[in-house]
Amino acid sequence: MASAAEQLASNLNFGAFAKADELKKRIWFTLGALIIYRLGTYIPLPGMNPDAVADLFKQSQSGVLGLFNMFSGGAVGRLAIFALAIMPYISASIIIQLLSSVVPTFETLKKEGEQGRKILNQYTRYLTLVLAVFQAYGIGVGLQGSGNLVLEPGPFFLLSTTITLVGGTMFLLWLGEQITSRGIGNGTSMIIFSGIIAEFPSQLAQTLELGRQGAISTGLLLLILVMAICVIAFCVFMERAQRRLLINYPKRQVGNRMYEGQTSFLPLKLNTAGVIPPIFASSLLLLPTTIASFSQASGGTGPLSTIATYLAHGRPLFMFLYAALIIFFCFFYTAIVFNPTETADNLKKHGGFMPGIRPGERTAEHIDRVLTRITVLGAGYLTIVCLIPEFMITYAQIPIILLGGTSLLIVVTTTMDTVAQVHGHLLAHQYEGLVKKAKLRGAKR
């Protein structure tokens, strides 16, 4: 068995990729779907004033609009038909996950396997539609009340804007499902990934232009390049890092035959929460800034503007709260997605145990203790990566987000998952080839 695995690994090269027709079809399908998505980010909403939209976004791009614009690949800044992107679906997925840990009915569905997951996915789609309708209508109302953005405000504009934005979100949801089933990688992640990557060239061009103008020295540009490579390598290392807990299975007898005990591992990821904590923290902190920007655009002032000033990018209060919220959501979301008691019960049912620890409650306490410790490291890692662009923008006056933050985390994790899927498809193709060769040899004999 080991020699077969070694042979598969050694034969895994570009020649194998050239022969994997199914994999090439999946990659071409994914690229075609992403091109359709990118084209949609340039189709504007009907009835908008393009110049006024550009001016408003320049004033509000440091708030939630800037965060959403990053995830939508610039569609928010252009108020395109895909301006909502799949953010309603992300919110709905998180809500359903929370309910799966609180509501007994959802918790039961979660434990029912594939059939239960299908029902939960359907509930997620329904909730996505509801959230998209509310958000699209709110955007329409906000656009009508923000100066001269709308050429002909009124009920027809609200209706057309709501239908267009909701239709765009549901189309992207369908497109993401098609990528997942017929393409390569996770469809939702690939759509967000392509949107972020599309904004990288403009960020890089902006930085190079500052170097050409003399605002940034050549040495600093080289330092930025080295730092970007180091941060990416650090993210890859931390995302792959895991703590493995040893699990032993006792000897068992089947009929008259005795089977030896087996040994396996329970892998606990260092960053169990993924990119959810930075997204939540950014949304909560940037919400006052965005509301204050719309208020100022409408001629209003008040305490909200003062709060938004203290929570502006680069301010000490913003950085402190940003780090605190990331750490809080790391522990909170980890507790939601991973249940040590349920894991310990499953090990006990299958006869597994950890050396020196009694099965059941003691095992659950040990898993929880280890998970808490590694979550401290994971929270620190997310905090460092997300604060790097804040320090670079504030203290080094470098307006570039390539050195860290939520965008880089999404790019790294999506790339790693996609490469793993490509590797899996190639291994499956190689294995099928070896099986066919073995059958041909057997037939000749």
Side-chain angles (χ1 to χ4, degrees), residues 34-55:
L34 294 180
I35 289 175
I36 293 175
Y37 160 63
R38 290 301 305 159
L39 290 176
T41 61
Y42 288 90
I43 303 176
L45 287 172
M48 300 302 301
N49 185 345
D51 297 332
V53 169
D55 293 339

Side-chain angles (χ1 to χ4, degrees), residues 235-382:
C235 290
V236 172
F237 174 79
M238 296 300 287
E239 290 296 331
R240 293 177 61 89
Q242 55 182 223
R243 170 71 185 277
R244 295 183 176 183
L245 300 181
L246 180 63
I247 299 174
N248 290 333
Y249 291 92
K251 295 180 180 180
R252 58 191 179 95
Q253 184 174 356
V254 180
N256 295 327
R257 190 170 182 178
M258 179 67 71
Y259 289 89
E260 291 292 331
Q262 296 179 347
T263 300
S264 64
F265 295 93
L266 174 65
L268 299 177
K269 284 192 63 177
L270 192 69
N271 180 26
T272 307
V275 297
I276 297 299
I279 293 176
F280 271 26
S282 300
S283 301
L284 287 178
L285 281 179
L286 297 178
L287 188 60
T289 305
T290 303
I291 297 176
S293 298
F294 279 110
S295 177
Q296 291 174 358
S298 302
T301 58
L304 193 61
S305 299
T306 304
I307 296 175
T309 301
Y310 284 104
L311 291 180
H313 277 289
R315 292 297 185 97
L317 181 61
F318 173 84
M319 294 187 180
F320 173 77
L321 292 178
Y322 191 26
L325 286 174
I326 289 175
I327 295 172
F328 169 76
F329 282 120
C330 276
F331 284 93
F332 177 77
Y333 197 71
T334 300
I336 292 297
V337 300
F338 191 93
N339 190 338
T341 303
E342 182 179 342
T343 304
D345 291 340
N346 290 333
L347 289 176
K348 188 176 181 180
K349 289 178 183 178
H350 293 86
F353 65 93
M354 296 181 181
I357 301 174
R358 295 179 58 183
E361 184 178 352
R362 296 293 185 184
T363 300
E365 292 176 356
H366 176 69
I367 295 175
D368 183 63
R369 183 167 55 253
V370 173
L371 188 63
T372 301
R373 291 177 178 177
I374 64 176
T375 303
V376 172
L377 297 177
Y381 144 68
L382 286 180

